Amino acid sequence: MDCIFCKIIAGEIPSARVYEDEYTYAFYDIEPQAPVHVLVVPKQHVTNVIEGAQAPGMMQHLADAVARVVELEGLQQSGFRTVMNTGADARQSVQHLHVHVLGGHPLNLTMG
Ligand code: 5GP
Ligand code: ZN
């Protein structure tokens, strides 16, 4: 499948790993919108949160991984934003479910 995030998970495209477990992979966004900008993705390919909700356990695993990333990046006290873009109006550019985790400064009302 021609999916850039599947290739990142498989190690075919290099990425800067933040966290990984059996179900999820987290890595730094290549075009950070904030001092901390991590993408958390399920290892199983689904397109978006609607499909993800149909895969048993997937959203829970993603939330668990977000919590680990927040801990690893030291964002618990300062706060952070999670974003999941779906479809054209949200300008979703990669069709593999991903949670943006943004933080490290006071965030503005665009994404980061
Ligand atoms: P979306 O717009 O689909 O919500 O977010 C996709 C994100 O993936 C963007 O923030 C973009 O910078 C990031 N991205 C796209 N290609 C790559 C890549 O090859 N490596 C990394 N680390 N991030 C990528
Ligand atoms: Zn994929």
Side-chain angles (χ1 to χ4, degrees):
M1 191 194 307
D2 196 24
C3 170
I4 194 166
F5 286 178
C6 281
K7 288 178 181 163
I8 283 175
I9 292 160
E12 292 163 15
I13 293 174
S15 64
R17 181 178 61 185
V18 176
Y19 173 74
E20 181 173 13
D21 62 31
E22 186 180 349
Y23 306 103
T24 61
Y25 186 73
F27 55 103
Y28 291 111
D29 196 293
I30 204 167
E31 284 182 41
Q33 307 290 316
V36 176
H37 188 171
V38 177
L39 300 172
V40 185
V41 304
K43 288 186 172 176
Q44 180 186 332
H45 179 95
V46 297
T47 302
N48 57 42
V49 63
I50 306 297
E51 282 183 21
Q54 292 163 13
M58 182 178 283
M59 299 313 296
Q60 181 66 56
H61 295 314
L62 274 184
D64 289 343
V66 166
R68 292 290 292 121
V69 166
V70 164
E71 198 180 316
L72 290 165
E73 294 292 328
L75 299 176
Q76 305 99 314
Q77 299 303 321
S78 51
F80 58 93
R81 177 174 293 150
T82 47
V83 175
M84 287 185 282
N85 292 317
T86 302
D89 278 2
R91 303 174 191 271
Q92 181 180 5
S93 62
V94 178
Q95 308 306 313
H96 181 130
L97 172 59
H98 51 283
V99 182
H100 297 260
V101 179
L102 299 136
H105 73 179
L107 297 164
N108 57 45
L109 290 176
T110 61
M111 192 157 74

